[in-house]
Amino acid sequence: MNFKKVAPIAAAVLAAVSYTQAAQASERVILQVDNANKGIVTALSRQLGGEVKLEADGFISVEFEGKSFDEIKGILKNPHIKLVEQDFKRTPMALYNDDAGNPMVDQLTPYAVYQSQVKQVAFNLGAAPKVCVIDSGLDRSNIDFEWGSITGDNDSGTGSWDVNGGPHGTHVAGTIGAADNGVGVVGMAPGVPMHIIKVFNAEGWGYSSDLAYAAQKCKAAGAKIISMSLGGGGSNTTESNAFQSFVDGGGLVVAAAGNDGNNVRSYPAGYPSVMMVGANDANNNIADFSQFPSCTINRATDEKVCVEVTAGGVDTLSTYPAGMATVASLTTSNGAFAASAMENVGTASGATFFMGTAEAVNSGAAGKICVIDRGVISFHDKVKNCQTSGGIGAILINNTAGMLYGTLGDGTANTTSIPAVGAAFEDRAALLAATSATVAIEGGDYGYMSGTSMATPAVSGIAALVWSNHPSCTGEQIRSALKATAKDSGAAGKDVYFGYGIVQAKAAHDYLVATGCGSTGGGSAITLATTSYNSKGKRRVDLKWANATGSSVDVFRNNAKLVTTANDGLYTDTLSVRGTYNYKVCNAGTTVCSSTQTVVY
């Protein structure tokens, strides 16, 4: 699977305290003032016990200890002050964030762990299913794995499975099962047994026959889950049959939808036996690169040939082969902030100096950390001007919402040597108000990638976590539980982007506790596939379903009950006119139903 490597972030934004808590300790206000009177107002603020945090065109920001907003307004009644306003805190608008810290010395929890409720479910390691990771190998240099429970195989010509063929396989494996050991990151199922199959050659690709053979090796190794962050065009029966055989044996196969942002079907994710996974971001939005193939092939609709669920796959922090990633950290007198590594390994500490857009050399930056706005000239030229001015490090702030990711040029194109990091626009005010900063970029064992390649191991690890508490389930029952309890996102109901929604570990666990997963199929959601065709001049639709309970089912067409019929898995509807028809099948007399399948004549 193609993937987009994103510059790593070492420290997430610290959580903001509530307004009530902040008001008890200190209050920060904005004073609108004519530039001509700014000196008078600044002096007055200091006389009254305020600390000036920021001076800008037409306003200043002042912090007062131990005073409420109303008290500050009372003491700042001055004709030179146009308006007194609260200076509210702003943080990046992510619903979920990685833990703050440096993964080289701390253990961080990636945002997708919180987003998918993983922390709310205990992992039963003793009953955990083995996960088979088919990828580019898992590099033994990373200490964040329980190596005693990891085995592997090589395919012809790929080299040792525990020597990386690039960082991709190590990154994927860390999302599944990085150990809970106090350092690095923690996986969805920490320490889960894994079997690694290295299928990619030195050029970074393999064949469908390699995957078919790998599926056999996964089964022989005792794996119950296959995780594949890979894919390509075209299907064949050999590959399809290999994964169907694994599923028929009680296993679960998970694969990436693809990263081209279109509706093309990628394989092996496109086989009905394989659970197709899309990617979402930390704000529960679909990733713009996540592929979204239709659920209909040759007029036959099957929910298992399109995206079924999504998980976090944008800016995913995970394991790398040792030293192959770069880790950035940014701490200031105002606290720690998220940062992206741009270039130039090293550490610099000092007072800050705001250079605006840094379009010219400025001697005021000598010996200081340059704080620079994005815009007008290139990142490289900004940092170069900082360095030429005597600056010892640089912080480049985005000019739109979100983190600034960038580089200073490859090879000889980069003529700078001071460490430079990107920062989020949402942190601009706090960074400009900081009086000192430390910028660091170092080689590391943890880094960020984006792609459905990153969402796929998240789902695989969550499946292992849930399955560890319900070992009597089959893979198909785990698959159904994840879909039945996914958090609906995007358009209401199942859609081609999210499928059923974002996986939720706690909800899936609770679902299986309530319904069970015995041989009756009580733990599985009702599935429905439709096939439309013409026969003897009539328009017909075959409805095929599975996992309904009881002796009969209700069949609905366009939200009206069409018929109550035997629960034998098959019903044929005859249509008299062209149009769009929506079908679903429910346990008779209940609201327990399949997803809606659409047929257009």
Side-chain angles (χ1 to χ4, degrees):
M1 178 61 56
N2 294 329
F3 64 95
K4 179 176 66 177
K5 183 178 178 182
V6 181
I9 303 172
V13 177
L14 299 178
V17 297
S18 70
Y19 166 71
T20 301
Q21 292 172 316
Q24 291 172 352
S26 64
E27 182 67 75
R28 183 161 156 163
V29 296
I30 299 172
L31 309 181
Q32 290 187 13
V33 57
D34 288 333
N35 290 334
N37 298 319
K38 194 181 297 179
I40 297 172
V41 173
T42 297
L44 174 64
S45 299
R46 288 176 175 146
Q47 289 173 7
L48 295 172
E51 181 180 357
V52 177
K53 293 291 188 180
L54 176 68
E55 294 187 41
D57 183 15
F59 68 90
I60 65 173
S61 175
V62 185
E63 186 174 274
F64 290 85
E65 290 286 337
K67 288 183 172 61
S68 70
F69 177 63
D70 287 337
E71 288 174 323
I72 295 169
K73 286 180 67 177
I75 64 175
L76 287 177
K77 290 183 177 179
N78 185 286
H80 296 302
I81 299 174
K82 297 180 180 179
L83 182 66
V84 181
E85 297 179 302
Q86 287 175 255
D87 198 354
F88 296 107
K89 288 189 175 182
R90 297 289 185 259
T91 60
M93 297 298 290
L95 295 174
Y96 304 93
N97 290 295
D98 299 337
D99 290 346
N102 184 336
M104 295 298 290
V105 295
D106 304 310
Q107 179 170 282
L108 308 185
T109 300
Y111 76 85
V113 172
Y114 297 114
Q115 187 179 53
S116 293
Q117 302 181 330
V118 168
K119 290 284 189 179
Q120 301 175 45
V121 180
F123 181 43
N124 182 9
L125 181 59
K130 182 180 290 187
V131 181
C132 191
V133 184
I134 303 175
D135 209 285
S136 62
L138 169 57
D139 199 285
R140 196 175 283 272
S141 64
N142 193 295
I143 64 171
D144 209 2
F145 292 95
E146 297 292 348
W147 284 100
S149 60
I150 300 175
T151 55
D153 277 313
N154 311 315
D155 269 8
S156 176
T158 62
S160 299
W161 64 267
D162 57 353
V163 175
N164 78 83
H168 192 264
T170 302
H171 195 278
V172 162
T175 296
I176 295 171
D180 187 1
N181 58 1
V183 69
V185 297
V186 61
M188 298 292 182
V192 68
M194 288 189 283
H195 188 75
I196 310 299
I197 300 183
K198 188 176 182 180
V199 297
F200 297 141
N201 59 24
E203 287 73 38
W205 50 269
Y207 288 96
S208 58
S209 59
D210 295 325
L211 300 189
Y213 186 35
Q216 296 174 1
K217 290 183 176 182
C218 292
K219 184 175 181 179
K224 299 297 292 291
I225 299 172
I226 291 176
S227 185
M228 295 179 290
S229 294
L230 48 82
S235 64
N236 62 55
T237 58
T238 300
E239 187 180 39
S240 177
N241 290 343
F243 295 120
Q244 186 62 58
S245 177
F246 188 86
V247 170
D248 291 343
L252 172 66
V253 184
V254 185
N259 296 336
D260 290 334
N262 57 32
N263 62 358
V264 174
R265 198 178 321 279
S266 179
Y267 294 92
Y271 298 124
S273 60
V274 179
M275 187 176 195
M276 185 187 295
V277 175
N280 58 259
D281 66 13
N283 286 309
N284 294 348
N285 297 318
I286 199 67
D288 58 7
F289 53 75
S290 190
Q291 284 173 225
F292 48 94
S294 168
C295 300
T296 300
I297 302 176
N298 297 327
R299 300 181 70 179
T301 301
D302 185 351
E303 66 175 22
K304 292 184 175 182
V305 299
C306 48
V307 172
E308 297 184 45
V309 293
T310 67
V314 178
D315 298 342
T316 298
L317 177 64
S318 190
T319 47
Y320 264 64
M324 195 174 282
T326 51
V327 179
S329 62
L330 170 60
T331 57
T332 75
S333 56
N334 280 341
F337 295 90
S340 68
M342 298 187 78
E343 237 85 42
N344 305 330
V345 172
T347 301
S349 298
T352 57
F353 180 78
F354 180 53
M355 286 189 72
T357 52
E359 297 169 57
V361 173
N362 188 326
S363 60
K368 298 178 181 179
I369 304 293
C370 304
V371 180
I372 301 170
D373 278 332
R374 181 180 185 176
V376 185
I377 62 175
S378 70
F379 300 148
H380 172 272
D381 290 348
K382 292 174 184 290
V383 176
K384 184 68 173 180
N385 285 338
C386 170
Q387 183 172 325
T388 303
S389 302
I392 58 175
I395 303 167
L396 278 67
I397 305 173
N398 208 352
N399 56 5
T400 60
M403 177 60 60
L404 186 153
Y405 296 106
T407 65
L408 305 182
D410 296 329
T412 58
N414 177 22
T415 63
T416 70
S417 59
I418 60 174
V421 301
F425 174 76
E426 291 83 355
D427 295 329
R428 183 179 184 275
L431 291 171
L432 264 58
T435 56
S436 63
T438 296
V439 174
I441 300 177
E442 58 183 332
D445 306 348
Y446 303 87
Y448 285 75
M449 290 185 188
S450 289
T452 55
S453 284
M454 285 62 254
T456 296
V459 172
S460 301
I462 291 164
L465 168 66
V466 173
W467 211 343
S468 76
N469 290 283
H470 304 277
S472 64
C473 287
T474 66
E476 282 292 274
Q477 289 166 337
I478 296 296
R479 180 180 183 177
S480 293
L482 294 177
K483 292 191 292 186
T485 58
K487 178 182 178 63
D488 188 24
S489 299
K494 183 178 182 293
D495 64 79
V496 294
Y497 299 99
F498 284 95
Y500 284 93
I502 301 171
V503 284
Q504 305 285 277
K506 178 64 162 54
H509 168 65
D510 291 346
Y511 176 86
L512 291 171
V513 168
T515 64
C517 57
S519 59
T520 60
S524 298
I526 300 173
T527 60
L528 174 64
T530 58
T531 303
S532 58
Y533 58 97
N534 293 316
S535 176
K536 298 181 179 178
K538 295 184 178 180
R539 303 177 183 89
R540 301 185 189 275
V541 180
D542 284 345
L543 286 72
K544 295 182 180 180
W545 66 87
N547 303 325
T549 59
S551 60
S552 59
V553 297
D554 294 331
V555 177
F556 288 81
R557 183 214 291 157
N558 292 343
N559 293 319
K561 186 163 74 172
L562 182 64
V563 66
T564 298
T565 186
N567 182 17
D568 57 8
L570 178 64
Y571 178 79
T572 299
D573 186 27
T574 301
L575 302 170
S576 57
V577 297
R578 293 184 179 276
T580 299
Y581 298 91
N582 298 307
Y583 292 94
K584 65 180 179 180
V585 171
C586 307
N587 290 329
T590 76
T591 58
V592 178
C593 304
S594 69
S595 64
T596 299
Q597 302 297 330
T598 301
V599 173
V600 179
Y601 257 113

